[in-house]
Amino acid sequence: MQSTILVVLVVVTALAFDFTNGFHDTANVIASAISTRALSPRTAIALAAVLNFAGAFVSLKVAATVATGIIDPAKITEAVAFSGLIGAIIWNLITWYFGLPSSSSHALIGGVIGALLAAVGGSGVNWDGLIGKVVVPALIAPVLAFVVAGVSIVAVYAMLGRRRPGLVNRGFRLGQVLTSGMLALAHGTNDAQKTMGVITLALVAHGTISADHVYVPTWVVLCAASAIALGTYAGGWRIIRTVGTRIIRMDPAQAFAAQSAGASVILASSHFGYPLSSTHVISGAVMGAGAAKRLSAVRWGVAGNIAVAWVLTLPAAGLFGAAVYFLQQALGAGVLGPMLIWLVALALLASLILVRRTRFARAAQAS
Amino acid sequence: MTAAIIDTATLAKVVVYSLLAGVGISVLFAVGVSSAASVADALRDRRTAAGAAWVVVFVLSAVVVLGIVVLGIVVMSTK
C-alpha cells in the first residue's frame, strides 16, 4: 500500500515537474517570434502549448534513454525517483525566479542521479551512458545550433542583401509561424519524454513494469503531454524576455534562422535518443544568428550568465536530489516524509508564482 | 576508451542532419522570399512572363520547405 501511495506521489510530482518544465523553458522556443512581432505573445504561447502536446506523441527514444541508458533501472526505488524530481523542481524554480534559462532536462537528470548516488552510490549510474548520451551531446548541441544558425543567416543575407527590407521582413515573419511551430513540436518531442522516462522508472521500481521489458505506457505519454502543454500556456514570460531580447535583438530573418536551426538540432538529436536541453540549443542558435551578423550584437554578459547556469545545473540539481533523499530517509521509511516534502515544495511553488504574478501585475500597471 | 563511450557515428549523423535541415530550410525559404519579391517587381514592371516564372519558383520553394518539414515529422514518428 505504501509503495502504491509513493508511486502515485512520484507520478503527480513528475507531472508537476513537467508543468514547471513547460512553465520554465518551453516559452524559449517562441521568444524570438515574439521579439520580432511575428506572433503576439498569447498566440505564440497557445501555439507552443498545442504543438508541445502534439510533439510528445512523435517519438519515445529519449524516454527510453532516460529510463534505461543513463541509470540502472533495477537500482531505482520510488524514493529515489521522488527525491530526484523534487531536487530538479527546486533547481528549476530557483533559476526561473532569477530569470536564468538553465536546462530543465539536465536538472531532471542531475536530480535523479544525485538521489541515486545518495541511495546506492556510483554503482547505480551508467557513467558511460551519462557521458556519451548526456554530457557530450550537451556540449555539442549548443555549438552545433550556433554554427547552423550562423551559416544559415550568412547564406540568407547573401541571397537577400539587395532586396527591400520591408518585404523580406514580412516574408520571414510569416515563415516564423512555421519555425516557431517546428521548435515547439521539437521541444515537446524531447522534453516531455524525460518525464515519461522518470515515471516509467518509478513504475519499474513499483513492479508495474518489468525491468527486463521497459516500455512507456500510453497513459504516461498522454499525461506528460498534457502537463507540459499546460505549463507552457501558464507561464514563461521572464524567460521570454531573457532569450528574446536580452541576448540579442534580432530581425525576422535572424529569428527564422535561429528557430529552424534549433528545431533541426533538437529533432535530429531526439531521433537518435539524445536527451538534449532545448534551452541550450535555442540560446546557442540565437547567439549564432546574432554573431554571424555582428559579434558585438550579442550581449555576451547575459550569455555568460546563462552559461554559468548551464554548468551549475547538473551538480546543483544533483545536490538538491541527494539532500531531499537524505531528508526523506531522516523523516522515516513511510509515506509521511515524501508527503511533507511534497507539501513544502508545493508551498514553495505557490509562493513563487504568487510573487511573480504580483510583479507582473505591477509591471502591467506601470506600463 | 573515449571513442567506445561516445557514439561518434551517431553524433556525426546528428551534425549532418541538423546542418542539412537547418541551413536547407533557411536557404529554400530565402529563395521563396526572393522570388516573391521578384514577382512583385515583375508585375510592377508589367513583365508577365517573368512574373509567372517567379511564381513557379516561389511555389516550388514553398512546396519543398513544407515537404522537408513533413518528411522530418514522418521520420521522427517512425518507431
Side-chain angles (χ1 to χ4, degrees):
Chain A
M1 182 62 185
Q2 277 193 355
S3 175
T4 303
I5 293 172
L6 257 177
V7 86
V8 169
L9 212 52
V10 169
V11 171
V12 173
T13 310
L15 295 178
F17 173 83
D18 216 14
F19 182 89
T20 64
N21 188 342
F23 199 87
H24 183 276
D25 71 21
T26 306
N28 292 347
V29 302
I30 35 88
S32 47
I34 293 168
S35 74
T36 60
R37 301 181 193 281
L39 292 167
S40 72
R42 291 206 184 280
T43 308
I45 290 172
L47 179 76
V50 169
L51 287 169
N52 262 279
F53 182 83
F57 292 88
V58 170
S59 168
L60 290 173
K61 285 187 179 171
V62 173
T65 299
V66 172
T68 60
I70 301 168
I71 51 183
D72 181 357
K75 300 271 175 70
I76 279 280
T77 62
E78 294 96 329
V80 167
F82 176 78
S83 304
L85 281 163
I86 294 290
I89 288 173
I90 291 171
W91 180 247
N92 249 6
L93 288 176
I94 289 170
T95 53
W96 166 77
Y97 184 78
F98 289 105
L100 290 173
S102 69
S103 165
S104 298
S105 316
H106 294 171
L108 181 61
I109 291 166
V112 171
I113 287 175
L116 190 61
L117 284 172
V120 298
S123 64
V125 181
N126 177 357
W127 296 103
D128 290 358
L130 179 65
I131 293 168
K133 291 179 178 171
V134 178
V135 176
V136 172
L139 293 172
I140 291 175
V143 178
L144 179 60
F146 184 98
V147 171
V148 173
V151 171
S152 298
I153 197 63
V154 166
V156 167
Y157 282 154
M159 291 173 69
L160 300 173
R162 291 182 184 174
R163 293 285 179 194
R164 282 171 286 149
L167 199 143
V168 170
N169 285 343
R170 278 201 298 278
F172 277 103
R173 278 198 192 101
L174 194 65
Q176 273 190 268
V177 177
L178 179 74
T179 51
S180 300
M182 285 304 293
L183 203 48
L185 191 84
H187 185 276
T189 302
N190 201 281
D191 279 46
Q193 287 191 63
K194 291 149 197 162
T195 311
M196 294 177 206
V198 173
I199 294 176
T200 304
L201 280 172
L203 294 173
V204 170
H206 184 249
T208 311
I209 296 173
S210 163
D212 299 326
H213 302 286
V214 178
Y215 67 95
V216 183
T218 307
W219 67 266
V220 173
V221 179
L222 191 63
C223 289
S226 305
I228 201 166
L230 285 172
T232 303
Y233 194 75
W237 296 91
R238 289 176 66 87
I239 312 289
I240 281 176
R241 206 170 135 251
T242 301
V243 174
T245 61
R246 283 177 61 197
I247 296 177
I248 178 184
R249 291 192 183 281
M250 290 183 290
D251 63 39
Q254 283 176 302
F256 181 96
Q259 288 180 316
S260 64
S264 303
V265 173
I266 297 171
L267 285 173
S269 303
S270 303
H271 182 63
F272 292 106
Y274 292 118
L276 280 188
S277 160
S278 56
T279 312
H280 291 196
V281 172
I282 191 61
S283 297
V286 166
M287 283 190 266
K293 187 178 183 182
R294 188 163 51 93
L295 274 177
S296 60
V298 179
R299 298 181 185 177
W300 294 102
V302 177
N305 287 341
I306 292 169
V308 169
W310 292 353
V311 173
L312 283 178
T313 295
L314 267 176
L319 282 174
F320 280 119
V324 172
Y325 181 81
F326 286 130
L327 179 64
Q328 198 184 151
Q329 297 306 302
L331 289 169
V335 293
L336 182 66
M339 287 295 282
L340 281 173
I341 292 167
W342 199 82
L343 288 173
V344 170
L346 199 64
L348 180 69
L349 174 66
S351 57
L352 284 177
I353 289 173
L354 198 65
V355 168
R356 175 190 163 276
R357 285 177 70 94
T358 308
R359 287 190 177 179
F360 188 66
R362 278 184 194 155
Q365 275 181 349
S367 63
Chain B
M1 169 75 177
T2 310
I5 294 172
I6 301 164
D7 186 351
T8 46
T10 305
L11 281 175
K13 281 183 189 170
V14 171
V15 171
V16 171
Y17 293 172
S18 301
L19 271 167
L20 285 177
V23 178
I25 285 177
S26 290
V27 168
L28 284 167
F29 195 83
V31 170
V33 171
S34 181
S35 52
S38 298
V39 170
D41 290 344
L43 291 179
R44 191 186 57 218
D45 299 340
R46 297 179 188 281
R47 290 182 288 120
T48 316
W54 283 118
V55 166
V56 172
V57 176
F58 172 77
V59 171
L60 275 177
S61 61
V63 167
V64 174
V65 166
L66 288 174
I68 290 173
V69 171
V70 171
L71 178 69
I73 294 169
V74 170
V75 170
M76 284 288 303
S77 54
T78 306
K79 305 285 191 294

